[in-house]
Amino acid sequence: MKILLLGGFPGSGKTAVLNRVIRAIARLEGTSAVIEGEIGPMEADSAPGGEGRIAVEPLFRGCACCKLSGDPVQAVGRIADEVNPDWLVAEMTGLAMMDGVCAAFRRGGRPDIPVHPVCVVDAARFGVLSGVVGPVLEGQLRGAELVLVNKADVVRPTGEQLDLIARWADGARVRTVSAGKTEDTVLWQIILEGIGEAQ
């Protein structure tokens, strides 16, 4: 099992990306599980409380919905043991900091389960948001392996904006996409190439 962690500010298009990803995996005959309910903030120096529990419901063609309670890191380990999909796709809350969530997985997760953090950025609102909530956006980008600059069909990001995103993301790959219009398997291939998992 591999984990795709989707982060980004509210309205950036995380859910659209998630839906396309699970459809693409199904079309390619793979299996996936989706965490229902977004993963909330997990500080790097605090341990989530409670036993990790899951309730699994089948969705469609090799995709399952996993409802978590308690410790999400423990629950993810149970998903690996009990469901063992090819991919677990987890959507983080719109204000979660990527580096804090990744640190929690590094601290309490399993070394045999790779975690690929992907941050979705709203190209149409980035100029305004970076001036109003810049530290939040920077915190969400820090720790990402791949940044999807979404809604490029609405507004093409400027070179200056892309440079700022790349600087905040600190070495992550940056790809410009339109999740609402890109074919499912094409978007999935862009993600796989961006996280170094392309076949």
Side-chain angles (χ1 to χ4, degrees), residues 1-4 85-89 113-116 197 199:
M1 184 178 89
K2 299 170 184 175
I3 300 173
L4 188 73
D86 296 318
W87 285 92
L88 172 63
V89 186
I113 303 176
V115 178
H116 296 288
E197 289 286 350
Q199 302 294 325

Side-chain angles (χ1 to χ4, degrees), residues 3-197:
I3 300 173
L4 188 73
L5 266 182
L6 288 176
F9 200 75
S12 61
K14 296 188 303 292
T15 302
V17 171
L18 181 148
N19 289 334
R20 290 193 175 276
V21 162
I22 61 173
R23 286 197 303 260
I25 293 170
R27 285 183 181 152
L28 296 170
E29 305 298 326
T31 58
S32 63
V34 176
I35 292 180
E36 182 182 84
E38 299 172 323
I39 291 180
M42 294 189 288
E43 295 301 325
D45 56 357
S46 66
E51 180 186 354
R53 299 179 185 211
I54 58 168
V56 179
E57 296 177 6
L59 289 178
F60 62 90
R61 289 184 57 192
C63 180
C65 173
C66 298
K67 298 178 182 178
L68 305 187
S69 62
D71 183 341
V73 175
Q74 281 186 22
V76 164
R78 294 192 64 177
I79 291 169
D81 293 337
E82 298 175 21
V83 183
N84 195 29
D86 296 318
W87 285 92
L88 172 63
V89 186
E91 185 177 353
M92 293 166 33
T93 64
L95 297 176
M97 298 295 115
M98 185 71 77
D99 55 355
V101 174
C102 290
F105 275 98
R106 282 194 303 272
R107 186 180 62 250
R110 292 180 10 189
D112 61 318
I113 303 176
V115 178
H116 296 288
V118 175
C119 187
V120 182
V121 172
D122 185 346
R125 296 185 302 152
F126 183 78
V128 172
L129 290 175
S130 62
V132 177
V133 290
V136 174
L137 294 181
E138 184 176 0
Q140 291 178 331
L141 287 163
R142 195 180 313 112
E145 190 173 339
L146 170 68
V147 178
L148 297 176
V149 183
N150 191 27
K151 304 182 187 178
D153 57 313
V154 178
V155 173
R156 293 296 297 177
T158 66
E160 182 178 309
Q161 289 171 340
L162 290 174
D163 288 345
L164 180 58
I165 289 168
R167 190 166 68 250
W168 282 353
D170 194 27
R173 294 179 180 91
V174 179
R175 301 289 183 267
T176 303
V177 299
S178 300
K181 296 193 172 182
T182 305
E183 204 275 327
D184 299 344
T185 54
V186 172
L187 180 61
W188 181 227
Q189 189 60 36
I190 291 169
I191 293 171
L192 289 176
E193 289 173 358
I195 61 176
E197 289 286 350

